[in-house]
Amino acid sequence: MNQHVSPPIRPEYDRTLAPFVETPLERALPLAARLWQQGWLRKAVIIALLALAWEGLARWQDNDLLLPSFLATMKALAEGLASRELLERVRISLTVLAQGYLAGIALAFLLTTLAVSTQFGRDLLSTLTAMFNPLPAIALLPLALLWFGLGSGSLIFVLIHSVLWPLALNTFAGFQAVPETLRMAGRNYGLKGPAYVLQILIPAALPAILSGLKIGWAFAWRTLIAAELVFGAASGRGGLGWYIFQNRNELYTDRVFAGLVMVILIGLLVENVVFATLERVTVRRWGMTR
């Protein structure tokens, strides 16, 4: 007859191990690798390479009327900034841009709020975006000049058109992607209409909204410069677009390139400072994007 035999109980004890000191557990990256991890440095290298390529191509072309060198363009840019002419053109452009951009944002949120609240709003948004989103904003400038005359109203009209539709599409797509659990939580708290949109949908859809804001900004900036070429030529005043057009007529190609460089610099500043800061303090801080 088999008897139940308990397994032997082994004594337990702690064994203290000697510290591992033969090699460090963490190795510091080389200085070059640490520097290359800095995003601003990588972008600066890219810009420097482009500037060198520009300078080399201009020297090989050897025709300042067709392609001024990078150094000549920087000299013209410095002169324009020192005389404050370029700064005044920038001020005019950014003032008009801010008015059109903010008005486009307000109308886009009004449309998307109506779209998430009623079936008629959804039909209205889908119909209007299908009709007007493919229409280039600059194509409406002749009508804008006819309706609003030679003033900032014409530019603001085409800027609203360039911002409204891409922002409304991105915002509505972000609203549609909000999880149902968050929607149910908002309804349980009794949120409806604008309060439901502001407190539930907008925070949850903020990555898509920021993407729409960046797309709308790029469209508006390009549209403004293109519209000022026509608006400035018609009225005798304008911002950066008029500055470029005027110097092109006078064959100051270095100033033309200086105006284009200023357009690029403003775009880089808005993208890498304004929108990057907004993303860092919102969606990145909240862990909504990588």
Side-chain angles (χ1 to χ4, degrees):
M1 182 173 181
N2 295 330
Q3 296 181 354
H4 179 71
V5 180
S6 299
I9 300 176
R10 298 180 180 181
E12 297 182 357
Y13 58 91
D14 295 332
R15 176 174 294 178
T16 303
L17 300 177
F20 185 78
V21 294
E22 295 181 3
T23 58
L25 298 180
E26 295 183 0
R27 292 183 178 180
L29 291 175
L31 178 60
R34 293 200 305 270
L35 290 176
W36 193 247
Q37 287 182 342
Q38 304 297 320
W40 63 269
L41 181 60
R42 296 193 300 270
K43 294 177 182 179
V45 170
I46 294 173
I47 294 175
L49 291 176
L50 292 175
L52 287 175
W54 178 1
E55 184 71 21
L57 181 61
R59 291 180 181 273
W60 177 78
Q61 181 75 21
D62 195 21
N63 190 336
D64 291 339
L65 184 61
L66 295 179
L67 181 62
S69 66
F70 174 77
L71 296 178
T73 300
M74 291 300 102
K75 181 180 178 182
L77 179 62
E79 291 175 351
L81 293 175
S83 65
R84 302 187 66 85
E85 179 185 6
L86 203 50
L87 292 176
E88 179 63 18
R89 302 298 184 183
V90 171
R91 185 193 64 81
I92 293 173
S93 293
L94 293 183
T95 301
V96 176
L97 178 68
Q99 298 176 40
Y101 189 64
L102 293 177
I105 291 174
L107 289 176
F109 277 104
L110 180 63
L111 271 178
T112 50
T113 300
L114 185 63
V116 298
S117 302
T118 63
Q119 181 63 49
F120 173 77
R122 287 189 287 274
D123 294 338
L124 178 66
L125 179 62
S126 62
T127 303
L128 292 180
T129 52
M131 292 172 57
F132 296 115
N133 191 42
L135 184 64
I138 197 64
L140 296 176
L141 186 59
L143 288 177
L145 292 173
L146 182 63
W147 292 341
F148 302 101
L150 300 176
S152 59
S154 300
L155 294 177
I156 293 174
F157 176 78
V158 296
L159 289 177
I160 292 175
H161 175 82
S162 64
V163 174
L164 173 58
W165 311 117
L167 178 56
L169 282 174
N170 272 65
T171 303
F172 185 70
F175 288 169
Q176 294 294 96
V178 174
E180 190 62 29
T181 53
L182 291 178
R183 298 174 181 271
M184 294 175 62
R187 298 190 192 101
N188 290 337
Y189 278 101
L191 297 178
K192 296 180 180 179
Y196 173 73
V197 173
L198 290 174
Q199 299 183 38
I200 299 297
L201 295 184
I202 289 181
L206 197 55
I209 295 174
L210 287 177
S211 177
L213 288 172
K214 289 194 287 187
I215 294 173
W217 145 257
F219 284 2
W221 188 228
R222 293 185 301 184
T223 300
L224 176 63
I225 298 303
E228 282 181 341
L229 293 172
V230 178
F231 175 75
S235 64
R237 61 183 298 274
L240 273 176
W242 170 239
Y243 177 86
I244 294 170
F245 182 85
Q246 187 180 34
N247 285 286
R248 195 272 297 177
N249 286 341
E250 298 175 1
L251 298 180
Y252 292 126
T253 314
D254 53 346
R255 296 182 184 178
V256 172
F257 274 82
L260 295 175
V261 169
M262 181 58 67
V263 171
I264 295 172
L265 290 177
I266 293 174
L268 289 174
L269 183 66
V270 172
E271 181 72 23
N272 293 285
V273 176
V274 178
F275 285 116
T277 302
L278 187 59
E279 288 182 350
R280 186 175 64 253
V281 300
T282 54
V283 294
R284 291 186 183 274
R285 183 179 180 182
W286 301 339
M288 301 176 70
T289 59
R290 295 181 61 183

